[in-house]
Amino acid sequence: MSANSSDTPPTVEVVLVKSGRTKIRYPAELLADDGTRVTVRAPWAGEGVRDFGFVRFEPGDVFTEYYWRDRWYAVKEVRDAEGVRKGWYCDITRPATLSGGELVVEDLDLDLWRSADGTDVLRLDEDEFAASGLTTTDPRAATAAQNALDTLELLARESDFEALLG
């Protein structure tokens, strides 16, 4: 089978930018693009294990990632190597762009975690966001980021969170 076979899933390069610098870049399988939302799947792209205390990301984990061109967040479903869902890690970002095979997302420091059973919903990195200076340098983006975090938290606590991804 050739590399250009229709059986070969298309790939994109996910580029996560933070403070004007590329934080991480990794290949991902393009699952869907409806013009508004882009869905990709990729193995854990970090080196080794990252233990947050409430979840561990480790080699073998698989992330199904949902990015919107019109929303200020990205949602990443995390499963272990056996396919058991760990939960959802949500990044507050500027709306994503997909061009020339690169899916570029600018991280705005705020994050949210929702455990697989929905019992734990944690707002993360609000101190990093405050220290970023975004409220001064780009007040409109800062407000959009804070609103996105509030929206995601509400969905994670009170709604059918998974419907967001359906």
Side-chain angles (χ1 to χ4, degrees):
M1 175 186 322
S2 76
N4 294 326
S5 166
S6 62
D7 294 336
T8 303
T11 60
V12 296
E13 192 83 4
V14 177
V15 182
L16 183 62
V17 176
K18 188 171 181 175
S19 302
R21 294 176 294 129
T22 298
K23 181 178 174 182
I24 191 168
R25 169 187 293 269
Y26 54 92
E29 175 186 352
L30 179 63
L31 300 178
D33 181 357
D34 67 8
T36 301
R37 187 180 75 189
V38 179
T39 306
V40 301
R41 183 177 299 127
W44 164 240
E47 292 187 21
V49 174
R50 178 123 188 241
D51 190 341
F52 290 93
F54 51 88
V55 67
R56 288 170 48 102
F57 296 160
E58 50 203 336
D61 286 352
V62 176
F63 288 65
T64 302
E65 304 174 358
Y66 303 85
Y67 298 93
W68 285 265
R69 291 178 173 96
D70 63 350
R71 298 183 190 178
W72 288 70
Y73 54 79
V75 177
K76 301 171 182 182
E77 179 190 59
V78 185
R79 292 182 181 264
D80 69 15
E82 286 75 43
V84 176
R85 182 183 295 138
K86 293 182 175 186
W88 293 268
Y89 195 90
C90 307
D91 287 319
I92 304 305
T93 67
R94 290 184 190 269
T97 61
L98 178 61
S99 177
E102 286 189 340
L103 179 62
V104 180
V105 185
E106 183 180 348
D107 185 344
L108 297 177
D109 293 309
L110 293 170
D111 301 297
L112 183 90
W113 170 255
R114 182 182 190 269
S115 62
D117 64 5
T119 58
D120 291 326
V121 177
L122 306 170
R123 292 171 73 110
L124 306 168
D125 303 328
E126 290 179 292
D127 55 337
E128 286 181 31
F129 178 76
S132 75
L134 193 63
T135 56
T136 302
T137 61
D138 192 344
R140 186 185 77 74
T143 298
Q146 291 165 325
N147 290 342
L149 181 62
D150 292 343
T151 297
L152 277 174
E153 182 180 19
L154 183 64
L155 287 169
R157 291 186 185 282
E158 300 177 5
S159 297
D160 182 8
F161 186 73
E162 293 180 61
L164 173 68
L165 311 175

